[in-house]
Amino acid sequence: MAGWQELLAANRFYLELKLEGSDTSADATFLECQGFKRSQEAVEISEVTPKKWGQANLGRSVHTKIPGGAKTENIILRRGMTGSMTFWKWFEAVETGQWAKQLRNGSLVIYDQGGQEQARFDFQNAWPLRYTAADVSAQSTDLEIEELEIAVDTFVRVR
């Protein structure tokens, strides 16, 4: 069937993000990535045209929407907590004023059912702005979740 496109599953992804001090090639396996959202403002402008409106001798007021500035949302990364301190050290380095040296680029890659890359979103100048460890309970059987919210300048779909 020509032109048929496979729908991609949300659970077949990999997030590439190389942090300083990582002792493995894949420091984290993420359970969730949220917030890959880019939007553009609509700026409304008003102008008066010379066209007459009704019985009035005044011009007609016309409202037009034009594209404004683009905005990229923060990205939220969730993973099962491990013994790795890499996320915490990245957050701590920014917190202590070394943020300019901590900017990182990365990619969200989405695969088809055959394991072939089908979509890639590259993000630039990421830095952590919030670190959260999930609540704990002696009665829980859930995984302990570590969450990191990162600010990014922009992201683009490159594939």
Side-chain angles (χ1 to χ4, degrees), residues 103-124:
L103 298 176
R104 297 290 183 265
N105 297 334
S107 300
L108 172 66
V109 184
I110 302 177
Y111 297 91
D112 63 15
Q113 294 303 315
Q116 299 299 310
E117 179 180 319
Q118 294 298 318
R120 177 180 288 266
F121 298 88
D122 288 345
F123 56 90
Q124 288 80 36

Side-chain angles (χ1 to χ4, degrees), residues 146-157:
E146 184 175 40
E147 179 179 288
L148 193 67
E149 182 174 350
I150 59 175
V152 297
D153 282 350
T154 189
F155 81 89
V156 294
R157 183 168 178 179

Side-chain angles (χ1 to χ4, degrees), residues 31-50:
L31 301 173
E32 292 180 40
C33 301
Q34 297 178 336
F36 277 85
K37 181 179 178 183
R38 188 151 170 83
S39 58
Q40 191 164 311
E41 289 181 66
V43 176
E44 190 169 314
I45 60 170
S46 297
E47 57 186 336
V48 178
T49 67

Side-chain angles (χ1 to χ4, degrees), residues 9-30:
N11 67 339
R12 298 197 48 95
F13 72 94
Y14 181 76
L15 188 105
E16 298 171 356
L17 178 64
K18 185 66 176 162
L19 299 179
E20 191 173 296
S22 176
D23 52 0
T24 63
S25 60
D27 189 59
T29 301
F30 295 98

Side-chain angles (χ1 to χ4, degrees), residues 58-132:
L58 305 173
R60 182 175 183 179
S61 178
V62 177
H63 301 276
T64 305
K65 291 183 181 179
I66 61 172
K71 180 181 178 185
T72 301
E73 300 291 326
N74 296 334
I75 298 171
I76 299 172
L77 308 174
R78 288 190 183 94
R79 72 176 187 171
M81 186 179 281
T82 67
S84 173
M85 293 284 291
T86 307
F87 266 9
W88 180 257
K89 287 179 180 178
W90 189 33
F91 178 77
E92 191 174 48
V94 170
E95 186 179 43
T96 59
Q98 302 171 37
W99 71 273
K101 295 179 185 176
Q102 298 304 317
L103 298 176
R104 297 290 183 265
N105 297 334
S107 300
L108 172 66
V109 184
I110 302 177
Y111 297 91
D112 63 15
Q113 294 303 315
Q116 299 299 310
E117 179 180 319
Q118 294 298 318
R120 177 180 288 266
F121 298 88
D122 288 345
F123 56 90
Q124 288 80 36
N125 296 329
W127 57 273
L129 62 100
R130 183 174 53 92
Y131 176 93
T132 305

